[in-house]
Amino acid sequence: MAKQGKLPEYSYPLYRPPSEAKSLILQITEGCSYNRCTFCGMYVDKKFKLRPFNEFKKEVDELPQHIKDKTTRIFLADGDAVIYPTEGLIKILDYLNSEFPSLQSVRSYVGAQALKKKSVNDWGKIFSRKLDLMYFGLESGNKDVLKIMNKGMDAWEIAPIIKDLRELGIRFSVMVILGAGGVKHSFAHAYDSAKWLSDVNPEYLGLLTLFLRRDRNYFKHIQTPKFKHLLRETMALIDNTETKGTILRSNHISNLFVLKGTIAEDKQSLLNQLEQVWYYCEKNNMLDSFPDYYQEML
């Protein structure tokens, strides 16, 4: 009788980008190695740890063979799985390539700490083992907004690293959070983020709207933006971003509106859609309303 196999037993909470809905998720880390961003509570109650290789190997070995055979994409969790020491990460990727005959791509979240920790040579070895797309939370290109968020990074220190990795062939999906700097920093947040994006030219840009999982005191540091501020900020961000081929998505549950397009080719269409959203909000007396910025943790 054929062995039935066993599905992974995840350590929760477990997160993945919306675009990884069809990927097999494997946890090689738990939690987030930084875990100090003031707006984010994804892993606030989860202690960071590296999963030992033998524990990971056992989980892979126990997977049903039919899942191994049909898996083309794997997403490595948790928050910044590629913080895993290079030698260990390479060992993990080599094992994935040996066990999944149809594997085409491995993806992961990546934080500033992991980007700075590894050399370009390290990343080249990692890319050669099919890890070819990473999701990076820029949040903002503005230093004042990043300070409010306690991101622990300088966006412009990270920019050349990402550009070097793109030269290797690694693709990036970059996330920017609308409203992160409040009313005071709104235009600077949009303009500096657009400037950063124009310099780095990532393959994908994802827009989210500020929503809090961690610290309700966040709004003590900013003037809370209304719908009209968020719309103007989005218009300024798109209007000032000059990239080639960057695909935009604003379809997160936190967003007021859905936007889809390629920034260069569809810029005017995207701006026209935002104008339509503005008129809708104006007609329904929503421009001076506040979104529900809080997400309760169950």
Side-chain angles (χ1 to χ4, degrees):
M1 186 174 180
K3 185 179 178 181
Q4 294 299 309
K6 181 181 177 182
L7 297 178
E9 294 182 1
Y10 297 121
S11 166
Y12 291 95
L14 179 71
Y15 298 95
R16 57 148 178 86
S19 54
E20 297 303 321
K22 295 183 179 180
S23 297
L24 173 65
I25 301 176
L26 294 173
Q27 284 175 307
I28 64 171
T29 64
E30 293 183 16
C32 172
S33 63
Y34 180 68
N35 205 17
R36 294 193 290 277
C37 297
T38 52
F39 67 94
C40 179
M42 289 170 65
Y43 305 106
V44 67
D45 293 322
K46 197 173 186 181
K47 186 176 180 181
F48 176 76
K49 75 171 187 177
L50 303 173
R51 292 189 68 196
F53 175 79
N54 288 339
E55 185 179 311
F56 154 81
K57 180 179 180 299
K58 181 174 184 292
E59 184 172 80
V60 171
D61 290 345
E62 291 178 344
L63 284 170
Q65 189 59 45
H66 72 276
I67 289 181
K68 292 185 182 182
D69 291 341
K70 70 179 183 180
T71 295
T72 58
R73 247 166 49 185
I74 291 174
F75 182 77
L76 297 178
D78 266 339
D80 53 352
V82 290
I83 198 74
Y84 212 100
T86 300
E87 184 178 340
L89 181 57
I90 287 174
K91 187 176 181 181
I92 285 169
L93 292 170
D94 282 341
Y95 199 67
L96 293 178
N97 280 283
S98 70
E99 291 295 306
F100 293 87
S102 302
L103 184 62
Q104 298 173 5
S105 176
V106 182
R107 288 98 179 272
S108 172
Y109 287 124
V110 64
Q113 291 71 30
L115 287 169
K116 292 189 292 184
K117 185 175 183 179
K118 290 177 169 52
S119 68
V120 173
N121 185 54
D122 289 339
W123 287 115
K125 294 176 183 177
I126 290 165
F127 171 67
S128 71
R129 289 159 169 86
K130 299 182 183 177
L131 198 155
D132 63 355
L133 189 150
M134 295 192 289
Y135 297 84
F136 173 64
L138 171 68
E139 328 305 6
S140 179
N142 180 265
K143 64 179 181 180
D144 292 323
V145 177
L146 291 175
K147 185 175 180 180
I148 293 169
M149 303 182 96
N150 196 32
K151 278 292 291 186
M153 72 174 193
D154 180 336
W156 289 98
E157 182 184 2
I158 300 302
I161 299 174
I162 293 182
K163 289 162 70 175
D164 284 345
L165 300 197
R166 289 194 65 243
E167 286 292 322
L168 292 176
I170 299 176
R171 295 170 294 155
F172 280 83
S173 180
V174 173
M175 292 163 279
V176 170
I177 298 183
L178 302 172
V183 177
K184 177 181 177 181
H185 299 289
S186 184
F187 182 75
H189 169 47
Y191 180 80
D192 289 344
S193 298
K195 186 178 179 182
W196 190 96
L197 293 164
S198 300
D199 182 61
V200 173
N201 205 103
E203 283 74 16
Y204 303 96
L205 168 62
L207 299 182
L208 293 77
T209 302
L210 179 66
F211 65 109
L212 302 182
R213 292 188 176 113
R214 188 180 194 121
D215 185 2
R216 286 179 174 267
N217 292 323
Y218 191 91
F219 292 118
K220 290 184 178 180
H221 305 288
I222 64 171
Q223 183 183 348
T224 310
K226 300 176 181 179
F227 283 128
K228 63 184 180 183
H229 302 118
L230 296 172
L231 282 166
R232 287 173 182 153
E233 188 174 289
T234 311
M235 291 176 186
L237 175 66
I238 293 173
D239 197 28
N240 286 283
T241 298
E242 301 294 339
T243 55
K244 295 179 180 179
T246 299
I247 296 171
L248 168 71
R249 292 290 184 268
S250 174
N251 56 0
H252 190 265
I253 191 172
S254 64
N255 295 133
L256 168 66
F257 42 82
V258 174
L259 291 175
K260 295 181 180 181
T262 302
I263 294 178
E265 290 85 346
D266 302 319
K267 179 174 290 191
Q268 192 55 55
S269 173
L270 292 166
L271 292 173
N272 290 343
Q273 290 177 58
L274 287 166
E275 289 285 355
Q276 292 173 13
V277 175
W278 180 280
Y279 292 137
Y280 175 86
C281 290
E282 187 175 44
K283 181 179 178 180
N284 291 276
N285 299 314
M286 293 172 60
L287 288 176
D288 287 309
S289 299
F290 296 97
D292 182 4
Y293 287 108
Y294 299 109
Q295 178 177 350
E296 299 295 342
M297 300 301 289
L298 302 178

